[in-house]
Amino acid sequence: MDWSLLGCGANGHVTFAPDEPELRGRLNVTAREGAAWRCLRCGTFVIGEPTSSGPVSAAPRVRRGKELRSAFILRLFAVERFLRAIVFGALAIAIWRFSLSRLSIEAAYDQMLPAVRSLLRELGFNVNHNRLLGLIQHAFKLNPHTLGLLALAAGAYAVIEIIEAVGLWLLKRWGEYFAMIATSIGIPYEIYDLTAKVTWLRLLAFTINVALVVYLVVTKRLFGVRGGKKAYEARLRSASILQAEIDALAAEEATRAEQAAQAEEAAQAEEAAQAEEAAQAEESEQAGEATHAGGAARDHEGARAAAPGPHRGQAGQPGPAGAPNQPEQPAAAQTAGLTDRANGPPAPGRAEPGRTDLPRQADTARGPDQPTDAAATNSSAAE
C-alpha cells in the first residue's frame, strides 16, 4: 500500500513554492494546461497554484510513506486511550454520585432486587454467586471516605488517559514519551492481576499496553534507542522530497565548485610546466653557446700551436718576434719584410726603394744569438 497516495487521497495534495529561485525551479514545471507544482507528500506534479509559499524555512513538514503508517497506528492507540478515559471518567462520576446518595440508591436497589434476581435466573445466571451483584452489595458497605478515594483514583486515571490520547493523536514527541512512561507504570500491576486470574479482558489490556510500549521505543527511538532523536530526525529528512531537492542542489553547487577548483589547478600546473620548459630551453641555449665558444677557443689555440716558425734555443736561428730577451722590431721593418715576401726577392745589384744597407750592417754588428730583421719579419708574418 502506498501510504503517501492514500494520505493525498484523504487530505489532498501539499504543494509549496519556495522563494529561492533555483529550488523553485526544481519543484515547478510548465505543462500545456499551465504551471504544475510537485506534491511534497506523493511526489506527483499538480496543476494549479501552490497551496503555500515563502522561504524554505517556512515549508510545511509533510509525513510520507512509513511515517504515515506510523501516524495511523499511533492514532489507533489514541482512540483506545480515549475510550478508556470515557469509561473511567464515567466510573468516577458514578462513584461520586453514589457516595452522595448511597442510602437512596440502596433503598432503590433493595426495591428492584427481586425483579433483577428473577431476570438473571431466566437468563441462566446463578444469582447467589453472581459477581456483579456481590460487587454492588459490597459497595453499599463502604464508607463515604473510601468511596471518595475510589472516585478520585478513577478520575485521575481518566485524566492520564486523556493526556496520552491527545499527545498520540497530535503525533507529538512529548506525547510519545508520556504514553510510554504512563503505560509502563501500569504493566507490573497488570502482570499481578494475570497471575491471580487470567481473563480475556485483562489479557487484551496487557497485550495492548505492551505493544504500545515496544512500538514507541523501537519505531520512535525513545531514550536513545537506535540512535535516538537525531537518528529519527535524520530519517525524516531523508524521506522528505523538499530536503532531497535541497541536498541535490547543494551537491550540484559543490560539484561545480570542485570542477572550477580542478580547472584552476590544471591551469596553474600548465603555466608551471610552460615556465619550466622555457627555463630548460634557456639553459640549453646557454649551454650550446658556451660549448660553441669553448670549441672556437680550442680551434684558435690549435691553429696557433700548429703555425710554423723558428724555435728559440737553436744556434744561429732567431726566435719569434716579441720573445723574451729579443728586441722588438720596428713596425716599418715588419711592413717592409711583408712587402719583400709579397714581391719576391729583388734583382741582383738593385736596391729596394726605401731601403738601405744599414739594416744589414746592423745585422752584422749583432751577435750570433740575436735574430736579424728578416727573421723577425718572417716571424711576424707567420703570426
Side-chain angles (χ1 to χ4, degrees), residues 173 177 217 219-235:
R173 195 161 182 85
Y177 272 102
V217 171
T219 61
K220 300 304 178 179
R221 306 171 189 255
L222 303 182
F223 300 103
V225 175
R226 299 176 59 197
K229 183 178 180 181
K230 291 183 178 180
Y232 177 71
E233 292 179 349
R235 186 170 67 85

Side-chain angles (χ1 to χ4, degrees), residues 297-332:
R298 286 193 299 272
D299 293 343
H300 182 66
E301 293 293 335
R304 291 185 62 181
H311 298 280
R312 182 183 175 187
Q314 296 181 359
Q317 294 184 357
N325 302 324
Q326 298 295 330
E328 296 183 1
Q329 302 297 325

Side-chain angles (χ1 to χ4, degrees), residues 262-280:
Q262 291 178 353
E264 184 178 358
E265 291 179 359
Q268 293 177 356
E270 185 177 358
E271 291 178 0
Q274 292 177 357
E276 185 176 357
E277 290 178 359
Q280 291 178 355

Side-chain angles (χ1 to χ4, degrees), residues 22-35:
E22 295 182 355
L23 188 59
R24 188 184 185 96
R26 300 181 70 93
L27 297 175
N28 179 27
V29 296
T30 302
R32 184 176 58 184
E33 293 81 3

Side-chain angles (χ1 to χ4, degrees), residues 37-352:
W37 295 88
R38 191 176 185 185
C39 176
L40 299 182
R41 180 184 289 120
C42 64
T44 58
F45 285 90
V46 182
I47 297 175
E49 295 296 326
T51 55
S52 60
S53 61
V56 68
S57 58
R61 182 179 178 181
V62 183
R63 297 178 180 272
R64 305 181 64 247
K66 293 182 179 180
E67 282 302 310
L68 286 176
R69 183 185 64 186
S70 176
F72 177 75
I73 294 173
L74 289 182
R75 284 175 175 170
L76 286 180
F77 282 116
V79 171
E80 188 266 341
R81 263 34 186 185
F82 272 122
L83 294 177
R84 287 192 185 190
I86 292 172
V87 171
F88 281 90
L91 181 61
I93 294 173
I95 294 174
W96 177 69
R97 294 288 300 272
F98 177 76
S99 64
L100 294 178
S101 55
R102 184 180 58 174
L103 296 177
S104 58
I105 293 174
E106 185 176 1
Y109 174 77
D110 291 337
Q111 185 179 358
M112 295 177 61
L113 183 58
V116 172
R117 286 177 178 272
S118 61
L119 178 62
L120 291 176
R121 286 194 187 98
E122 291 177 2
L123 293 175
F125 290 100
N126 188 357
V127 179
N128 296 326
H129 298 88
N130 187 273
R131 186 176 180 82
L132 178 61
L133 294 179
L135 181 62
I136 294 174
Q137 291 175 356
H138 180 72
F140 288 135
K141 298 177 182 179
L142 297 176
N143 56 46
H145 180 70
T146 303
L147 292 174
L149 292 178
L150 290 175
L152 184 61
Y157 187 78
V159 171
I160 291 174
E161 294 300 309
I162 289 175
I163 295 174
E164 288 185 40
V166 171
L168 293 176
W169 184 267
L170 297 179
L171 307 176
K172 298 296 183 180
R173 195 161 182 85
W174 63 262
E176 297 167 358
Y177 272 102
F178 186 85
M180 183 267 173
I181 295 173
T183 305
S184 300
I185 292 175
I187 287 177
Y189 178 75
E190 293 178 358
I191 294 174
Y192 173 76
D193 275 350
L194 288 174
T195 56
K197 185 177 181 181
V198 177
T199 62
W200 287 107
L201 184 60
R202 292 179 181 179
L203 187 61
L204 179 61
F206 175 75
T207 303
I208 292 174
N209 290 337
V210 171
L212 176 60
V213 170
V214 173
Y215 183 80
L216 289 176
V217 171
V218 174
T219 61
K220 300 304 178 179
R221 306 171 189 255
L222 303 182
F223 300 103
V225 175
R226 299 176 59 197
K229 183 178 180 181
K230 291 183 178 180
Y232 177 71
E233 292 179 349
R235 186 170 67 85
L236 290 181
R237 288 193 298 269
S238 64
S240 172
I241 292 178
L242 182 60
Q243 186 63 41
E245 295 295 340
I246 293 173
D247 294 340
L249 184 59
E252 290 180 0
E253 293 179 354
T255 302
R256 287 195 295 266
E258 184 177 358
Q259 291 176 352
Q262 291 178 353
E264 184 178 358
E265 291 179 359
Q268 293 177 356
E270 185 177 358
E271 291 178 0
Q274 292 177 357
E276 185 176 357
E277 290 178 359
Q280 291 178 355
E282 185 177 358
E283 290 178 358
S284 300
E285 184 178 357
Q286 291 177 356
E289 292 178 356
T291 304
H292 180 69
R298 286 193 299 272
D299 293 343
H300 182 66
E301 293 293 335
R304 291 185 62 181
H311 298 280
R312 182 183 175 187
Q314 296 181 359
Q317 294 184 357
N325 302 324
Q326 298 295 330
E328 296 183 1
Q329 302 297 325
Q334 295 178 8
T335 305
L338 293 175
T339 305
D340 293 341
R341 295 174 63 90
N343 296 329
R350 181 181 176 184
E352 293 183 17

